[in-house]
């Protein structure tokens, strides 16, 4: 079986102030962000029809959350800040 080379493309559409880098990965291939002690490694573990499993290795000082969890954390943080301002 012959595998094609993974592709990298910059998406033309902007997301806020950023353009999105699109990478194609196969199972057990990784993407590395940063260098040295601040390095984050994202590995595609497996894919199925509707889902992909990824593994994320990051330094303890970097929080890693699913988007919906992060949004709830930010809402809770804003509510707590409003309560502190009212006192």
């Amino acid at each position: 079986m012959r595998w094609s080379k993974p592709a990298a493309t910059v998406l033309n559409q902007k997301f806020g102030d950023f353009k999105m880098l699109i990478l194609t990965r196969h199972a057990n291939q990784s993407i590395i962000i940063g260098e040295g002690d601040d390095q984050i490694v994202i590995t595609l573990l497996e894919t199925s029809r509707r889902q992909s499993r990824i593994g994320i290795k990051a330094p303890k000082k970097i929080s890693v959350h699913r988007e919906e969890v992060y949004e709830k954390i930010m809402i809770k943080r804003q509510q707590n800040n409003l309560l502190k301002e009212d006192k």
Side-chain angles (χ1 to χ4, degrees), residues 48-59:
S48 63
R49 287 184 181 180
R50 296 184 59 195
Q51 292 183 329
S52 297
R53 290 185 63 210
I54 60 171
I56 302 169
K57 189 188 311 183

Side-chain angles (χ1 to χ4, degrees), residues 29-75:
Q29 291 183 327
S30 298
I31 298 166
I32 299 173
I33 301 170
E35 298 177 358
D37 293 338
D38 292 331
Q39 191 176 71
I40 299 168
V41 179
I42 301 170
T43 304
L44 178 62
L45 301 174
E46 68 178 292
T47 59
S48 63
R49 287 184 181 180
R50 296 184 59 195
Q51 292 183 329
S52 297
R53 290 185 63 210
I54 60 171
I56 302 169
K57 189 188 311 183
K60 289 183 179 183
K61 64 183 179 180
I62 298 176
S63 298
V64 178
H65 304 284
R66 294 187 328 252
E67 182 178 21
E68 63 274 16
V69 172
Y70 178 78
E71 289 171 355
K72 288 179 183 179
I73 291 169
M74 292 297 105
I75 290 169

Side-chain angles (χ1 to χ4, degrees), residues 11-29:
L11 191 66
N12 291 329
Q13 184 177 359
K14 277 191 157 188
F15 291 87
D17 292 333
F18 303 97
K19 288 188 176 181
M20 183 180 290
L21 177 66
I22 307 296
L23 300 172
T24 301
R25 300 277 71 197
H26 298 289
N28 298 314
Q29 291 183 327

